[in-house]
């Protein structure tokens, strides 16, 4: 049993994959929590300063804005950079079967066995396979729109569940 995907990856799919990677890797979760914690602390200091009619709150406002921009922009800019690389590779033709994942593009060919990945995560748009290392650096994003039929979605889901731990 095998599943075929054909697609040219989009920015939205890469962005979704990065978001999933951040949520499901230990280092990604830690970094995300630190940024949110810093943002909450800066917001609290800013509001407290403004409520006491001091100018200290206004002094923290630029830092709060920087943290807020980082929370959003890091993922988006990373996705944009990866999109340039993915577009350079051209159309992806991926085969997922019992032996692993075979990827062929206009400029690259790769065969990966299931042991390389530690878990699979599904979102509305994509399936994401993530390596088990602390950073989750190895990521494969499989867009659902690359599947030919709804039955292929079920088959891919069952292959991933059979070979990888679900997140």
């Amino acid at each position: 049993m095998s599943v075929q995907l054909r697609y040219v990856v989009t920015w939205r799919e890469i962005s979704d994959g990065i978001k999933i990677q951040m949520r499901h890797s230990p280092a990604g979760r830690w970094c995300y929590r630190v940024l949110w914690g810093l943002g909450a602390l800066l917001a609290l200091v800013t509001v407290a300063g403004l409520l006491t009619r001091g100018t200290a709150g206004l002094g923290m406002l630029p830092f709060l804005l920087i943290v807020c921009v980082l929370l959003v922009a890091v993922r988006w800019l990373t996705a944009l950079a990866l999109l340039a690389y993915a577009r350079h590779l051209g159309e992806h033709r991926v085969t997922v079967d019992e032996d692993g994942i075979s990827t062929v593009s206009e400029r690259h060919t790769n065969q990966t066995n299931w042991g390389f990945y530690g878990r699979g995560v599904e979102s509305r748009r994509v399936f994401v396979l993530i390596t088990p290392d602390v950073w989750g650096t190895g990521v494969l994003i499989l867009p659902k729109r690359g599947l030919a039929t709804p039955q292929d979605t079920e088959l891919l889901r069952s292959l991933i569940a059979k070979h990888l731990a679900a997140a």
Side-chain angles (χ1 to χ4, degrees):
M1 112 174 125
S2 72
V3 178
Q4 307 286 322
L5 295 97
R6 291 179 75 97
Y7 59 89
V8 175
V9 75
T10 66
W11 175 84
R12 170 51 71 196
E13 292 159 347
I14 293 173
S15 180
D16 286 356
I18 292 169
K19 180 169 66 174
I20 289 170
Q21 176 194 25
M22 295 261 323
R23 287 183 178 166
H24 294 278
S25 67
R29 283 191 303 269
W30 184 84
C31 290
Y32 203 63
R33 287 177 186 149
V34 165
L35 278 176
W36 273 107
L38 183 59
L41 177 65
L42 289 172
L44 183 64
V45 168
T46 302
V47 169
L50 292 174
L51 288 176
T52 59
R53 298 181 193 252
T55 57
L58 291 176
M60 292 304 225
L61 198 56
F63 297 110
L64 177 61
L65 292 174
I66 289 169
V67 169
C68 291
V69 167
L70 281 176
L71 280 167
V72 175
V74 167
R75 186 177 93 221
W76 288 359
L77 292 173
T78 303
L80 195 59
L82 290 173
L83 178 64
Y85 172 69
R87 291 280 167 90
H88 170 73
L89 294 177
E91 181 184 64
H92 292 70
R93 295 173 305 283
V94 179
T95 303
V96 181
D97 58 25
E98 294 294 331
D99 296 326
I101 300 101
S102 172
T103 306
V104 177
S105 72
E106 296 168 15
R107 294 181 174 84
H108 183 262
T109 300
N110 186 41
Q111 174 68 37
T112 308
N113 67 19
W114 287 107
F116 182 73
Y117 297 105
R119 69 172 56 182
V121 182
E122 180 180 358
S123 74
R124 195 180 81 196
R125 289 185 189 91
V126 296
F127 288 95
V128 179
L129 308 182
I130 305 170
T131 55
D133 59 290
V134 72
W135 288 99
T137 50
V139 176
L140 177 63
I141 301 168
L142 301 170
K144 290 181 178 179
R145 67 176 173 76
L147 296 163
T149 67
Q151 293 81 12
D152 286 345
T153 303
E154 287 301 319
L155 184 55
L156 181 56
R157 187 177 293 124
S158 69
L159 279 167
I160 291 170
K162 179 178 178 182
H163 295 284
L164 301 178

